[in-house]
Amino acid sequence: MPVYRYTPCELPCKLCGDGFEHRQTSSTAELTACPTCGQAVVRAEINSITTPKLSRPVSVSSAKQAGFTVLKRLGDGEYERQ
């Protein structure tokens, strides 16, 4: 279910501040009133979320250069530092 951001029509609200997030299905109608204080609200524009894209797989040597500890799996729950 997507999370929508709602802001009160008259800022700031003493109970909800500058707004709140509400999880609802996309098929349900928008909220018209805050469930906490009852003040009229409007749905704010959703900002897109960006995720980093890897251009190549991370190698063991580059992970070590970046400061990560690289472990090799030996068996059931056993690991060895590389």
Side-chain angles (χ1 to χ4, degrees):
M1 267 194 283
V3 177
Y4 294 101
R5 176 103 180 128
Y6 287 91
T7 57
C9 292
E10 297 177 19
L11 290 174
C13 177
K14 291 184 181 181
L15 294 175
C16 15
D18 64 345
F20 60 94
E21 293 179 351
H22 183 70
R23 184 178 302 180
Q24 66 188 66
T25 61
S26 57
S27 61
T28 59
E30 293 183 18
L31 292 178
T32 55
C34 174
T36 306
C37 66
Q39 182 176 322
V41 293
V42 292
R43 187 159 68 183
E45 185 176 321
I46 299 173
N47 295 335
S48 62
I49 299 172
T50 58
T51 58
K53 304 228 188 260
L54 295 175
S55 58
R56 59 182 169 80
V58 178
S59 66
V60 172
S61 60
S62 63
K64 285 182 179 179
Q65 288 175 351
F68 290 97
T69 302
V70 180
L71 302 174
K72 180 180 178 183
R73 185 174 184 178
L74 298 177
D76 293 334
E78 296 178 24
Y79 293 89
E80 170 182 87
R81 187 181 291 222
Q82 285 189 334

